[in-house]
Each structure stands twice: as C-alpha cells, then as structure tokens.
Amino acid sequence: MTRTPYTVSPYGENNYRRSLGQNTLLLEEGFIFVYQDVRGKWMSEGDFIDVRPDIANKKGNQVDESSDTYDTIDWLIKNLPNNNGKVGIEGISYPGFYSTASLPNAHPALKAVSPQAPVTDWFIGDDFHHNGALFLMDAFSFITSFGVPRPQPITPAQFKTGIKFKYTDNYKFYLKMGALPNYKTHYFGDSVKFWNDMMAHPNYDSFWQAMNIRPHLKKLTPATMVVGGFFDAEDCFGALHVFDAIEKQNPASHPNTLVMGPWYHGGWESPDMQHFGDQDFGSNTSKWFRENLELPFFKYYLKGEGENTLPKAAIYISGSNEWKKFSKWPPENSTEKTMYLHANGKLSFDAPTSGEGFDEYVSDPSSPVPYQDGVQRGRTREYMLDDQRFAERRPDVKTYQTDTLSSDITLTGPVVADLLTSISTTDADYVVKLIDVFPDNYPAPTPNPKSVQLAGYEMLVRGEIFRGKYRNSFEKPEPFVPGKVTEVKYNLPDVGHTFRKGHRIMIQIQSSWFPLADRNPQKFVDITQAKDSDFQKSNIRIYHDGQNKSSIKVTVLE
C-alpha cells in the first residue's frame, strides 16, 4: 500500500494505472497493490494538513495519519478478496512520510514498512529548510502548485489554480525577487496557507516540532527498511534520521535495516542507476537493490518466503564503487578522526600550531555564491555531486585540501563541521563542502558525449548549510558579537565514500549557496520579514591557530 498526497489517478471504475508499485519485481510476485489519496487531497474528503502531527493520546474524533492508516488497513483486510491478512507499506518522499507515520500504534496486520527518502523534519534537514536556512527554490516551486487549496474533492484535470511563474535563469530570478516578503506580494497573497505558516514561524518552535515524527517511533511492531540516497537533494536527512530514531527507541531485536546508495531522489527505483551526473558507479546499483533487498524484504514479511538475511545496514561506497553490509551504522570498525584547516589552504589530520592565524573573505548578499556552475532553470539534482572548480575560483570561497593521498581513505558515517569564526555583522550562514579531488591525469569517461574532463575534477561528496544565529539553539536564535571569535558546530548528513590513493580531500567554506538556500541579510533580524534594505556585506574570518582550531570530524572505516 502507498498513501500519497500526489493523487492516485486515474480515477474511475474502468481506469487503471499502466504499472503497479515502485518495483516491477513486486508486481511480478502477484502482490495486491492499494493506493490511497490521504485525507484532504484530491478525491479524499476532509481537510489536508501538511505533515500532520502524530497525536499520542487521541481523544474523541481526533485523527492523525497513524489512525487513518489503521482504519484503512482494517477495512481492506475485511473487505478485499484473496488477501492473506498481511500488509506492507512503502513510499518515496512525502509518501515516505506517510509510510513512517503508519508505524506508531500500527494495525496488527501491518507487517513490513519501508519509508524511502521520507519527509521527516522540514526545519532541520528536509526539503524546505536545512539547519534553519530556507531552501528557496524547492519551497517556492513546490508551494506554487501543491500549496494551493482545493475547494472540494477534485481530480488533477480539474485543478486550474496553480500559481504561474516563468524564468529561464534561476539565479537571476531569485536574486531579483529580493527579500522573502516580496514573494507574498508578487505571487502568493494570502492564498497559500503553508507559506504564511512558514513566514510566521521563523524558528524551531512548537509548529515545526509537532511535525517531527521521530519521537513517536517507539514500540514498533512492523519490520522496517529505511531507504535513501547519499546524493538525494531533497530528503537525504530523513532516511538517515528515521533509521536512527527507530534504532535508538526500540529493542535491538526489532528488524530494522538502513539502505543508502549513490542515488538521487527516488533513484533506487530507476531502471538503471549505474551513472549519475558525471560519475560512473560501475554497476546497476538500483537493480541490485530491488533484487537483493526490496523484493526479499516484502516476500519474507508478507508471504513468509525466503530467509530473513537482511543486514542492519546495506551501504554503497562511492569512490570504491562497492556494496558493503554492516551490523550497525556507523560501522563498528570505524574511528572518528579530525581534519584541521591550516594556513595556505592546507588540510591535515595534524592540528595547527599557535603560529597560524585566519583566512578572511567578504560575503556579499548582492553577489551570492551559486550552488552550481552554469545557468539552470529549475533546481538540478546533479548539484549534489557536481564539479566544484567553479566555486574554488571565487574570492568568497575558502578552499583547503590535503596532500595527495598515499592510500585509500573510506568515510562511513557522520561528518561534523566545527568552525571557529568571527564576522563583522550580527549574523551569517556557513556552507561546508566535502570534496573528492581527482588526480590531474585522471582519464575522461568513455564514451564522453558531454566532453567531461575528470582530470582535476572536484566531486562534491557532501555539502550542508547552517544559519549561524542557530548555533546554540534552533528555538532561540542569538546574534553574533561583531569581531568576537565564535564556534559554529553542526552535523552534515552521513557519507559513504572512498577517497582513492592519488586523490585529495578538499574542504570548501562559503557563506551563501544561492538560490538553493535563501540569502542571509547578515543582520540579526527575522529573515522572513526582512526588507531589501537589511541586506549587507560581512567580513568573515575562519580561524586556524593553536587556540582556535577549525576542523572537520569524519568517521573513517578501518
């Protein structure tokens, strides 16, 4: 079963989908497939609430996605012919959230659930915000259609009220739009409730906290397999953190598996995922997942066929291009190590001496650092692993890299940025990027229709932004004291990547990532209500001396 806000069309007794399920192997197994419009979307009655909060102790007529799922399953097993009384649920992205939401107080017939790239926390890490910074392109493009209300149950063919906008260059469009209040003025008015809600809740208050499903993932009875992509531009955070919440809040005996591959959003269900962007992963990684993990999971728990041999974590390691199975995540045979920033753009596992100082750049909101090279209309998915040489050439991007590696280094797990910084204003953003620098003699791909040059390629392995005023609390932001050395420490999503012998490890640091993330005025204000006149330049320093050791902590597989 898949529950979705994206329509189960085509509707009508004699209209059917051309295919069933995400994985054609499940179709060939003869499973029964059920699709449901969630409450308040398309042809379902009731009122829709975005990421409807779970209600632990419901009273009277209170409902949530857990109870809606329970009632649906109860009806299905009693009324659908030829079912064996066992139900599985899966879904990608928003349907991934509804998969997660089926877990608390699950119906006894629900035996297997696979949340895939699940929407999980729209303030900390998925879709709309990353660490408090608004993901502008995704929010605007999504809300202009999805956020528009429907007067009554309708089909997609009847939906005519989406907000229209046109542009060919996203960087120019969003820069010209300016401060966030301008979007309501020019496009939304009061028609889009969730945009108004976002603007009314700039911090991680009870509005956002109630939408976080993770605290409710306790005493689970269905088996779980959480799936995500390391190069998922939308919900990489959700997969990693739903798995982690289930692990920490349930007995060790609970069957729970994490699958992370070299995939874009939903790429694990694509027919062939050997290539993504400029990278060749050496084999069809999505086919392997469908045959060896997804199909066996549902066959075992719904049909009682096969054996329960799923590992705790099945992780694809890019760089070395291999699947690895682990008994826990991060793996037991891994060690935390710290890479330190040094003068003259050096990066080393050795700490800096007292004789070093700082690097400085000017962050100018009128000329923010692009998130990707070239000109694009929509937000691309390839930016998650694209070449970063364009950014290295900018004066407002600071670059640090190791010497050429004498042996392979494999990172499997968390990445933590720990910056010692000062700014000339009262707020700033920080973007930290972990990059694999290919050797200068690395061969071009064959065939090579796009004329890609992999020699010296700077492949993005992981990047993440952090809004500086939330360095001590997402609930209670604090201004910087201009000129004062301040620690900004935050988690990047986990990685699984091998930096090969002959490559280098690079870190880039900048203070804008536009128009992926909205611009920080670099003044301590409510950014949702900022004026165009609030935006100002800031001189930003990154320290690397004996006392102020800016660093990146990584998890190295031994």
Side-chain angles (χ1 to χ4, degrees):
M1 181 166 74
T2 297
R3 305 184 67 242
T4 179
Y6 296 139
T7 178
V8 304
S9 61
Y11 297 92
E13 191 170 335
N14 296 313
N15 291 322
Y16 300 96
R17 291 173 173 242
R18 293 184 177 182
S19 63
L20 292 173
Q22 301 167 186
N23 181 344
T24 56
L25 297 176
L26 299 176
L27 172 63
E28 293 165 4
E29 277 293 317
F31 284 104
I32 299 169
F33 290 86
V34 174
Y35 294 89
Q36 182 184 54
D37 285 337
V38 297
R39 181 184 295 266
K41 273 292 180 180
W42 301 106
M43 291 299 286
S44 275
E45 297 178 344
D47 296 323
F48 177 74
I49 296 176
D50 269 293
V51 193
R52 188 187 300 271
D54 186 273
I55 304 171
N57 298 299
K58 287 178 277 293
K59 298 177 182 177
N61 294 324
Q62 284 185 315
V63 296
D64 56 19
E65 302 305 339
S66 173
S67 63
D68 278 356
T69 308
Y70 188 105
D71 293 345
T72 301
I73 291 174
D74 200 60
W75 187 92
L76 287 168
I77 60 173
K78 293 174 181 176
N79 292 276
L80 200 63
N82 302 317
N83 80 81
N84 69 353
K86 295 181 179 180
V87 178
I89 291 179
E90 70 175 355
I92 298 172
S93 195
Y94 220 144
F97 161 74
Y98 294 109
S99 301
T100 309
S102 72
L103 290 166
N105 302 306
H107 193 286
L110 183 58
K111 302 300 183 182
V113 177
S114 182
Q116 302 184 358
V119 166
T120 301
D121 197 318
W122 269 355
F123 193 86
I124 305 299
D126 287 316
D127 293 304
F128 284 106
H129 296 85
H130 285 217
N131 296 311
L134 176 67
F135 261 42
L136 185 59
M137 280 193 293
D138 282 20
F140 180 75
S141 61
F142 184 76
I143 279 181
T144 47
S145 58
F146 187 87
V148 175
R150 51 146 216 192
Q152 70 276 326
I154 59 173
T155 67
Q158 297 168 315
F159 181 71
K160 308 291 185 185
T161 54
I163 296 169
K164 307 298 182 184
F165 59 93
K166 280 186 178 181
Y167 58 84
T168 55
D169 183 335
N170 56 27
Y171 188 93
K172 285 186 176 179
F173 173 80
Y174 288 100
L175 193 59
K176 185 177 180 181
M177 279 295 295
L180 291 181
N182 298 338
Y183 290 82
K184 182 172 180 176
T185 300
H186 294 296
Y187 285 99
F188 296 131
D190 280 322
S191 64
V192 179
K193 180 181 182 298
F194 196 74
W195 182 269
N196 290 341
D197 288 341
M198 285 201 301
M199 297 301 104
H201 299 277
N203 305 319
Y204 196 53
D205 59 12
S206 59
F207 171 78
W208 297 107
Q209 293 170 19
M211 296 163 68
N212 176 16
I213 189 73
R214 286 176 287 169
H216 303 279
L217 300 178
K218 302 174 182 177
K219 299 179 181 178
L220 304 187
T221 53
T224 48
M225 183 172 69
V226 187
V227 182
F230 280 125
F231 303 119
D232 183 346
E234 295 164 57
D235 298 299
C236 178
F237 175 97
L240 292 163
H241 286 81
V242 164
F243 169 80
D244 186 60
I246 294 173
E247 279 294 283
K248 290 178 177 177
Q249 299 176 143
N250 291 274
S253 59
H254 174 74
N256 182 35
T257 294
L258 173 67
V259 182
M260 294 294 293
W263 301 315
Y264 56 75
H265 194 59
W268 47 93
E269 301 291 14
S270 297
D272 189 347
M273 272 297 295
Q274 178 171 334
H275 300 89
F276 179 37
D278 298 328
Q279 302 304 317
D280 182 345
F281 295 115
S283 64
N284 187 344
T285 60
S286 57
K287 182 174 184 287
W288 189 91
F289 159 72
R290 293 193 301 275
E291 291 178 350
N292 294 282
L293 298 175
E294 189 172 36
L295 177 63
F297 174 72
F298 284 112
K299 281 183 66 176
Y300 179 79
Y301 286 105
L302 301 187
K303 287 189 171 186
E305 297 178 3
E307 297 180 3
N308 182 16
T309 58
L310 292 173
K312 180 59 65 176
I315 307 296
Y316 188 85
I317 310 297
S318 52
S320 55
N321 291 351
E322 58 186 337
W323 282 101
K324 284 188 175 294
K325 296 179 180 180
F326 300 109
S327 59
K328 63 179 294 188
W329 183 259
E332 285 183 320
N333 55 328
S334 59
T335 305
E336 285 189 348
K337 294 187 178 181
T338 303
M339 299 187 296
Y340 295 94
L341 310 186
H342 290 264
N344 303 313
K346 299 293 185 182
L347 181 68
S348 170
F349 287 101
D350 298 322
T353 64
S354 58
E356 303 188 45
F358 59 83
D359 292 311
E360 185 172 22
Y361 58 91
V362 177
S363 175
D364 183 357
S366 69
S367 180
V369 180
Y371 80 106
Q372 191 173 25
D373 197 16
V375 176
Q376 302 90 29
R377 183 190 179 277
R379 190 266 297 141
T380 72
R381 57 193 185 191
E382 289 78 11
Y383 89 87
M384 291 289 290
L385 74 172
D386 256 5
D387 194 352
Q388 300 299 302
R389 282 178 284 194
F390 77 96
E392 185 183 5
R393 296 167 184 152
R394 286 184 59 114
D396 49 357
V397 177
K398 290 302 170 188
T399 300
Y400 307 85
Q401 64 179 331
T402 64
D403 293 334
T404 301
L405 298 177
S406 58
S407 60
D408 292 357
I409 294 179
T410 298
L411 305 186
T412 48
V415 178
V416 181
D418 190 358
L419 305 180
L420 280 300
T421 180
S422 67
I423 65 176
S424 62
T425 56
T426 51
D427 194 17
D429 290 346
Y430 293 87
V431 179
V432 172
K433 296 186 287 190
L434 173 68
I435 296 164
D436 184 345
V437 182
F438 290 28
D440 289 336
N441 60 354
Y442 200 93
T446 304
N448 191 13
K450 296 181 181 179
S451 299
V452 175
Q453 295 299 319
L454 293 179
Y457 197 96
E458 296 177 3
M459 173 189 169
L460 183 63
V461 175
R462 176 64 71 229
E464 188 59 289
I465 192 169
F466 189 90
R467 185 136 286 168
K469 64 183 178 181
Y470 296 119
R471 63 197 179 277
N472 295 322
S473 169
F474 286 111
E475 299 171 57
K476 298 178 180 179
E478 299 176 28
F480 285 74
V481 177
K484 181 182 179 181
V485 178
T486 305
E487 183 179 40
V488 176
K489 185 176 183 179
Y490 67 99
N491 294 316
L492 286 68
D494 294 3
V495 299
H497 184 79
T498 297
F499 294 81
R500 303 302 298 264
K501 177 182 177 180
H503 291 226
R504 296 171 184 256
I505 302 175
M506 175 182 283
I507 297 294
Q508 287 182 358
I509 299 173
Q510 59 203 54
S511 288
S512 51
W513 214 13
F514 191 77
L516 189 65
D518 69 322
R519 297 172 303 147
N520 191 324
Q522 302 184 149
K523 176 191 291 188
F524 185 73
V525 295
D526 178 352
I527 298 177
T528 66
Q529 308 301 321
K531 305 179 182 66
D532 289 324
S533 58
D534 287 326
F535 290 78
Q536 58 187 355
K537 296 179 182 179
S538 184
N539 295 325
I540 297 180
R541 292 180 174 180
I542 306 296
Y543 292 84
H544 41 70
D545 57 45
Q547 182 177 356
N548 301 302
K549 302 180 179 71
S550 293
S551 65
I552 310 296
K553 185 175 290 186
V554 293
T555 308
V556 179
L557 186 67
E558 300 298 335

